[in-house]
Amino acid sequence: MDYVKTLSDLVAIDTTVPPGNNYRLALEYLVPHFEGAGFQSELVEIPTEFCEGRTGRFALISHRKSQAKPRLIFYGHIDVVPAQGWPAFEPRVENGKMFGRGSADMKGGIVGLLIGLNKMADREYKYDVSIMITTDEELSQSGQIRFLKRFLEPVAGSIVWSLDSNTGGVAIAGLGALQVDIKINGKSVHSGLSHLGTNAVEQAVPVMNALLELKSKITAKRSAVPAHPDTGLKFMEPRLNINMIHGGLKSNIVPDECTITVDRRLIPEETLEEADNEIRDLLGKFKDIRWEISYGLRVPTVPPANGPAVERLEKLIKEVTGTSGRFGEMGSGDMGIIVHEEWQGQDFGLGVIRTESNIHGKDEFVYLKDIEDLGEIISRYLSE
């Protein structure tokens, strides 16, 4: 397999979400590649009720069954975030790197998997292996994953290897997430008669100041789980960010609404209930401000992965790359809690993402050597 061409072809398919128009095209491109590695593959259309009403959602499910062996499921996603201001879907190779949207996050990881599977095409596997390549990870996909469970059985006690991860060590934990909209309600009037109204934007200011005070307390916490060295952090840290503010209709109208969007990320030692109560307790102190709260993304935390499956991968990373370790990632996803609580399995990760890869930013790139190393590690992990 010419993996550079395969990745180039894949990156050139614009799978930006929203809208997610080319999902089927990208997954159909992958089907013969997995079948060529000895996997039975099918394209599964996701019913709209499992993807929040969105249409045109698909997944690629592939199997190479070896009953009575430990269950291993590889996970990845084909969607990418939007890109502007650069030729994001015209992949180019320079100095051992491929540039293009999704090259690192995470189409490069999928191609690394294909390299590993091709190395093992005529050899016996240590595991009973399935592959799930999904869509909408960059939005939300818990409903899609729950729907796909029926195509992956048995899942109980399975090992789930997320390719949507950093390189350089085993990702054993991720951040939980709580996204909250705080709407401040006022009363709109003509700006010249502002004494008769209530300015929701101005009332949002002390709320935001209080949130920033809470932020300083939250970000002072530290997890016991080390962070990836590339982040510049020693241990995982929680986050509270005010990422959006919406308010006002026109310069001469006192605004009657202002919405503050908060993104709260949780270390494994925290719970969603605790994080929610922190914000509600803060808001409860404002007796003269009318507010209401609504929720977006809610991703609970799970305990760090450990045990023989993690130890084996850590050892193989060391053999292939010379470096290794275990770390928590400073990102969130839907898979961990589903695997841990609903499948009673274990979720960990290794991919091709580096902090310097600038995923979600301009000129995203992946090192081709990282893809090759991932393929070698996967082939050794699958080997008896």
Side-chain angles (χ1 to χ4, degrees):
M1 179 184 74
D2 182 347
Y3 81 89
V4 176
K5 181 182 185 305
T6 300
L7 179 56
S8 180
D9 290 345
L10 204 53
V11 169
I13 301 173
D14 182 352
T15 50
T16 299
V17 60
N21 288 335
N22 294 318
Y23 286 162
R24 181 165 193 159
L25 179 63
L27 293 172
E28 285 179 338
Y29 176 81
L30 286 171
V31 168
H33 288 80
F34 283 109
E35 290 180 342
F39 279 71
Q40 295 180 328
S41 301
E42 64 176 317
L43 208 59
V44 178
E45 185 169 8
I46 313 293
T48 56
E49 61 266 31
F50 289 94
C51 40
E52 302 174 358
R54 297 185 289 265
T55 59
R57 272 44 189 171
F58 296 86
L60 174 59
I61 303 295
S62 298
H63 305 285
R64 181 168 158 175
K65 293 292 188 178
S66 298
Q67 293 185 0
K69 293 185 177 181
R71 191 84 171 99
L72 172 62
I73 300 171
F74 286 99
Y75 161 81
H77 66 87
I78 204 69
D79 55 301
V80 302
V81 297
Q84 289 183 331
W86 61 293
F89 302 102
E90 299 174 14
R92 71 183 194 277
V93 175
E94 294 178 6
N95 301 318
K97 308 172 187 176
M98 180 177 290
F99 291 83
R101 174 61 82 229
S103 56
D105 182 18
M106 55 138 301
K107 294 176 179 179
I110 295 171
V111 172
L113 173 61
L114 286 170
I115 292 174
L117 300 182
N118 276 283
K119 287 175 178 282
M120 289 290 296
D122 299 319
R123 297 165 62 188
E124 191 71 19
Y125 276 27
K126 180 181 177 67
Y127 298 94
D128 176 24
V129 179
S130 292
I131 297 161
M132 172 175 58
I133 307 296
T134 65
T135 57
D136 284 359
E137 189 275 341
E138 301 291 359
L139 293 177
S140 62
Q141 59 171 190
S142 57
Q144 297 187 39
I145 293 170
R146 290 186 172 101
F147 172 77
L148 292 169
K149 174 177 177 284
R150 68 199 69 187
F151 298 91
L152 294 167
E153 295 286 10
V155 299
S158 56
I159 302 165
V160 178
W161 179 330
S162 173
L163 299 161
D164 185 17
S165 186
N166 284 63
T167 187
V170 188
I172 59 170
L175 294 174
L178 176 65
Q179 293 177 349
V180 175
D181 280 346
I182 302 167
K183 186 167 78 169
I184 309 299
N185 295 303
K187 179 183 177 182
S188 62
V189 295
H190 188 286
S191 193
L193 298 172
S194 59
H195 64 289
L196 299 178
T198 303
N199 191 313
V201 170
E202 292 178 357
Q203 288 201 327
V205 173
V207 174
M208 286 188 287
N209 286 334
L211 285 168
L212 291 175
E213 289 181 12
L214 177 61
K215 174 176 182 170
S216 66
K217 297 176 182 177
I218 287 171
T219 54
K221 300 177 185 179
R222 296 293 182 272
S223 172
V225 181
H228 194 289
D230 285 357
T231 64
L233 305 174
K234 289 186 177 180
F235 296 94
M236 297 179 72
E237 299 179 6
R239 295 285 182 260
L240 187 153
N241 296 312
I242 301 171
N243 285 343
M244 291 193 295
I245 305 169
H246 295 289
L249 295 173
K250 196 171 181 287
S251 61
N252 61 353
I253 303 173
V254 170
D256 65 346
E257 288 184 3
C258 182
T259 299
I260 307 164
T261 298
V262 174
D263 185 282
R264 173 76 159 88
R265 301 290 164 143
L266 292 72
I267 54 177
E269 292 85 350
E270 297 180 300
T271 69
L272 283 175
E273 183 180 10
E274 292 168 350
D276 190 14
N277 287 338
E278 286 174 334
I279 295 173
R280 285 185 171 274
D281 290 346
L282 177 152
L283 294 171
K285 296 176 181 179
F286 292 93
K287 305 302 183 183
D288 298 328
I289 295 177
R290 292 187 298 123
W291 57 268
E292 54 188 277
I293 193 169
S294 59
Y295 299 94
L297 184 67
R298 295 174 66 92
V299 179
T301 57
V302 298
N306 56 49
V310 171
E311 293 168 3
R312 185 162 184 262
L313 180 54
E314 185 178 21
K315 177 176 179 290
L316 289 173
I317 296 170
K318 180 73 171 178
E319 290 178 3
V320 173
T321 68
T323 61
S324 192
R326 305 181 194 185
F327 60 87
E329 294 196 301
M330 295 297 289
S332 310
D334 292 318
M335 275 298 300
I337 191 64
I338 294 174
V339 173
H340 178 74
E341 291 194 353
E342 300 177 24
W343 299 3
Q344 291 77 53
Q346 192 169 53
D347 172 68
F348 56 80
L350 173 70
V352 296
I353 298 171
R354 292 179 180 266
T355 301
E356 65 191 274
S357 295
N358 203 30
I359 64 171
H360 292 206
K362 188 176 180 180
D363 288 329
E364 176 184 347
F365 74 88
V366 66
Y367 286 102
L368 298 178
K369 180 65 163 57
D370 287 341
I371 298 175
E372 295 170 2
D373 287 346
L374 177 61
E376 179 63 21
I377 293 165
I378 288 172
S379 69
R380 295 191 191 189
Y381 198 85
L382 293 175
S383 180
E384 285 283 8

